[in-house]
Amino acid sequence: MLSPDGRKWKEDRYEGYGVFGGKDIYELIAELNGKKTRSEGIDLVFDNNPTGSFAIAAARGVKLPLLTEGDYEYHVALEKFGYPETCRSQGYFYDYDEEE
């Protein structure tokens, strides 16, 4: 996980729920945007954005982290991969056949 201010968190064994390298993604969003709690981070993303799209939140000016599988700088990763897509299973492992 990369933050726009250059910090990085590495996660070798993702277990779901948005925690990467011990850092909760919504706590980081709150921090990046001058807020204090995870709940405030969630509100920043989901306010008038029921799908939780990071791209929509970013268009509203919310500072957001990125998720990558490589050692990229933030601006390079943003250009190459864009913002993470919303996952109803919070990125946890599930059977892709069940989605169809």
Side-chain angles (χ1 to χ4, degrees):
M1 180 167 64
L2 310 173
S3 67
D5 60 9
R7 293 178 288 160
K8 298 178 180 184
W9 292 264
K10 183 178 180 184
E11 180 59 59
D12 293 320
R13 297 186 61 130
Y14 185 66
E15 295 185 15
Y17 302 105
V19 177
F20 302 91
K23 185 70 170 179
D24 183 290
I25 196 167
Y26 289 108
E27 287 175 0
L28 178 58
I29 292 168
E31 184 181 312
L32 291 169
N33 291 279
K35 305 294 183 183
K36 296 184 189 261
T37 67
R38 180 180 193 277
S39 180
E40 290 172 308
I42 291 169
D43 289 346
L44 284 167
V45 173
F46 284 88
D47 184 41
N48 293 319
N49 180 13
T51 65
S53 164
F54 274 32
I56 291 171
R60 292 193 334 252
V62 177
K63 295 177 190 169
L64 298 165
L66 300 174
L67 304 176
T68 70
E69 288 189 15
D71 189 23
Y72 297 94
E73 295 302 317
Y74 187 88
H75 68 283
V76 173
L78 180 57
E79 186 175 308
K80 186 171 179 124
F81 303 109
Y83 292 103
E85 292 184 27
T86 303
C87 177
R88 68 177 173 79
S89 298
Q90 298 183 8
Y92 201 73
F93 309 103
Y94 50 88
D95 185 354
Y96 287 99
D97 292 335
E98 291 178 13
E99 293 232 331
E100 297 176 358

